[in-house]
Amino acid sequence: MENNEVWGYARVSTTEQNLARQLEQLKEFNIPDRNIRCDKVSGKTFNRREYNALVGTTETAPLLRKGDLLVIVSLDRLGRNYTEIREQWNYIINDIGADIVVLDMPLLDTRQSDDNLDKKFIADLVLQILSYVAQKELENTRRRQKQGMDVMPVINGKKTSLKTGKPVGRPNAQFPDKWKEYYEKWRCGEVTAVKCMDRLNLKRSTFYKLVKIYEKDMDKREN
């Protein structure tokens, strides 16, 4: 790969997780430190600064160039589901013209070689199979979770875990002291919303969230 760069990309989903394992594997591939890009952000979003620097955005050109090589430890570093992984794979391979190596799956190596003219075809086929399996596993997990929720008993209006005996889901909204008093004054126009937020020590988003919950509960009681 004369005159071409080798890049590495690593990602973990939270700031508490450690990148060390991925970085060690990328460095074993002899990638220069300056060419290793890392993100600590969930795969649920493509607001990934370092990844976007590699592949480019509508406003910036990609660091990856035609003939470059992108090395990742595992396939799911590209996306969270079948569609996203396929889209990113095809964009890097076909639009940018770079190659990809996935370290934990040696068959996913698109570099051309004289002794293997079908390498890209094989890699693409394996990618489709693996991505499909990963997507089916995700769907099965979600279905099992839903089935588990469906059989949970409802205690005090909350789904309750059979294993722990504790309620699951978001906790019930906590209204501050004097909520009813200031809510009624606000609705009657006696005080402004800003005044209510100040007196109740609430952020704007929290105040209107509680208003929505409170009014929904009142509607239920009236009906």
Side-chain angles (χ1 to χ4, degrees), residues 27 36 46 67 70 76 102 113 143 145 148 178 212 220:
K27 289 178 180 179
I36 296 178
F46 265 100
L70 175 63
D76 60 3
V102 182
S113 61
R143 184 171 63 253
Q145 289 173 340
K178 297 187 177 181
K212 185 176 180 180
K220 286 182 179 179

Side-chain angles (χ1 to χ4, degrees), residues 175 179 183 186-187 191-197 200 202-216:
F175 293 94
W179 165 264
Y183 168 82
W186 171 62
R187 276 304 186 198
V191 296
T192 64
V194 173
K195 188 74 170 180
C196 285
M197 295 174 208
L200 298 174
L202 295 173
K203 294 181 180 179
R204 178 183 177 85
S205 58
T206 305
F207 174 75
Y208 284 106
K209 179 181 178 181
L210 291 177
V211 167
K212 185 176 180 180
I213 295 172
Y214 187 71
E215 292 179 346
K216 186 176 181 180

Side-chain angles (χ1 to χ4, degrees), residues 27-141:
K27 289 178 180 179
E28 287 177 356
F29 202 86
N30 295 322
I31 302 173
D33 288 346
R34 69 177 185 278
N35 282 8
I36 296 178
R37 298 300 176 114
C38 307
D39 282 314
K40 288 191 174 185
V41 63
S42 171
K44 294 180 180 180
T45 175
F46 265 100
N47 185 23
R48 301 184 244 165
R49 186 180 67 179
E50 297 302 323
Y51 182 80
N52 288 339
L54 283 170
V55 302
T57 67
T58 55
E59 300 176 350
T60 60
L63 292 173
L64 276 171
R65 303 293 183 184
K66 184 176 181 180
D68 284 356
L69 174 65
L70 175 63
V71 182
I72 54 178
V73 173
S74 58
L75 188 60
D76 60 3
R77 300 306 86 186
L78 293 182
R80 62 173 177 164
N81 57 42
Y82 171 78
T83 301
E84 289 177 358
I85 291 171
R86 288 287 301 162
E87 286 176 351
Q88 292 302 303
W89 181 277
N90 288 329
Y91 173 69
I92 293 168
I93 298 296
N94 299 321
D95 294 356
I96 295 178
D99 284 307
I100 301 175
V101 167
V102 182
L103 295 179
D104 67 358
M105 183 57 62
L107 284 174
L108 292 178
D109 180 349
T110 66
R111 293 173 295 177
Q112 292 282 12
S113 61
D114 294 337
D115 60 344
N116 191 356
L117 299 178
D118 296 326
K119 207 164 192 177
K120 285 196 175 184
F121 170 77
I122 294 172
D124 190 62
L125 182 61
V126 172
L127 171 71
Q128 291 188 52
I129 295 171
L130 290 176
S131 298
Y132 173 78
V133 171
Q135 181 69 15
K136 294 302 292 184
E137 287 180 351
L138 178 61
E139 292 173 359
N140 288 337
T141 298

